[in-house]
Amino acid sequence: MNVRFNEFLDQAQVVLERLEPLLPTAQPPLDWTRTLAARWHREGRGGALLPLQVSLDIQLADLIGVDSQREQLSRNTRQFVAGLPANHALLWGARGTGKSSLVRALLAEHAAAGLRLIEIERDHLADLPRVVERLAALPQRFVLFCDDLSFETGEGDYRVLKSVLDGSLERAPDNVLLYATSNRRHLVAERQRDNDNWQLVDGEVHPNEAVEDKIALSDRFGLWLSFYPFTQDHYLAVVRHWIEVLAGQCSLVWAWDEALERAAIRWAQGRGNRNGRCAYQFARHWVGLQLLG
């Protein structure tokens, strides 16, 4: 009898060891008076909000050349923080043009007024109802931030996400908004055949309805903001701004001249793009070289 009982205990132990990774780890509730940002972490069949250490050094004034986008999203966020109606926002466009930086700059601007940021990955958006439920009764205002939201051809997840967004966002409490960034306006890859020979495509009698199904996902966002590739003048203006900021922090005396401008242009050409990220990287490179010398 004891032998059988011991065998049962051994088997039960094996089962528990297999189940343990699927069980959520107990997490103490976050103190949102001290926590400015968190990330939704899926764990097994559950998940938890884990605190993030965020830097508030990026200010709205640091975002050069995107005045219209900055003002629109800033106004929408001010409405939200004030408890007024506001829209979920989709920021789409060229990479490195300040989409994510704008969202983080708004956190720095409004953190003292109760704004908080929660990062959630695209693959975890199905957990939105769980996240929203945890935030509903809290006094702070929460922006759920999904960076780089897009879907490749053949992925059917966007249909699931549409229903999740419909259910979660339409019934979301007043203290929750969703801000997402993407390189694609419609979030889903589109093909030329979506518009060519629209009368009949791959045997589908109404292919235009399939196209509507694809682009309907972005309609869940009431505010669309477009970010375009930088011109050379725009790029150089951002370079000058960041050199001024970084040099000021180090008390470095510097002057803008033709040689520095040429160096900034060569840096962008070597990377095949002109954007805010490239400008910031060059500024760090150049200021660091001057200080080293």
Side-chain angles (χ1 to χ4, degrees), residues 9 64 84 132 182:
L9 289 180
I64 307 298
L84 303 174
V132 169
S182 178

Side-chain angles (χ1 to χ4, degrees), residues 36-236:
L36 300 182
R39 174 181 290 119
W40 175 254
H41 176 69
R42 181 181 288 175
E43 196 172 76
R45 296 182 182 274
L49 288 169
L50 303 182
L52 284 177
Q53 298 297 323
V54 293
S55 174
L56 302 182
D57 55 347
I58 296 181
Q59 306 297 317
L60 289 174
D62 293 325
L63 300 170
I64 307 298
V66 288
D67 300 354
S68 175
Q69 300 92 324
R70 181 181 61 197
E71 177 54 33
Q72 289 184 70
L73 193 63
S74 181
R75 182 169 58 244
N76 190 69
T77 305
R78 291 198 304 270
Q79 292 172 208
F80 176 58
V81 171
L84 303 174
N87 276 310
H88 309 290
L90 173 63
L91 289 65
W92 74 275
R95 68 187 189 277
T97 49
K99 300 183 294 296
S100 302
S101 297
L102 177 54
V103 176
R104 294 189 172 94
L106 286 169
L107 174 64
E109 181 82 6
H110 298 288
L115 185 66
R116 300 294 182 264
L117 189 69
I118 296 177
E119 294 186 357
I120 182 168
E121 296 181 12
R122 188 210 77 167
D123 294 338
H124 297 169
L125 283 173
D127 297 337
L128 269 178
R130 299 180 191 175
V131 180
V132 169
E133 183 181 2
R134 300 185 183 202
L135 307 176
L138 298 175
Q140 290 81 14
R141 318 292 290 179
F142 295 92
V143 167
L144 302 181
F145 179 46
C146 183
D147 202 13
D148 196 18
L149 177 61
S150 62
F151 299 89
E152 297 300 328
T153 302
E155 285 189 288
D157 291 350
Y158 74 91
R159 292 190 177 90
V160 177
L161 180 57
K162 277 199 305 183
S163 61
V164 170
L165 290 178
D166 278 340
S168 300
L169 298 185
E170 290 181 1
R171 294 193 295 270
D174 291 339
N175 68 333
V176 176
L177 273 188
L178 177 63
Y179 285 177
T181 68
S182 178
N183 294 332
R184 295 171 175 160
R185 181 174 53 144
H186 290 144
L187 304 178
V188 183
E190 299 174 80
R191 297 289 179 263
Q192 183 174 346
R193 68 184 183 190
D194 290 338
N195 295 307
D196 289 348
N197 303 318
W198 60 268
Q199 293 88 351
L200 186 66
V201 177
D202 295 333
E204 186 168 352
V205 179
H206 300 293
N208 58 311
E209 294 181 1
V211 176
E212 288 292 324
D213 180 54
K214 284 186 176 182
I215 67 176
L217 177 58
S218 55
D219 288 341
R220 272 59 185 171
F221 299 89
L223 180 61
W224 288 11
L225 298 176
S226 307
F227 290 74
Y228 301 102
F230 284 13
T231 64
Q232 182 162 292
D233 288 342
H234 185 180
Y235 164 74
L236 292 174

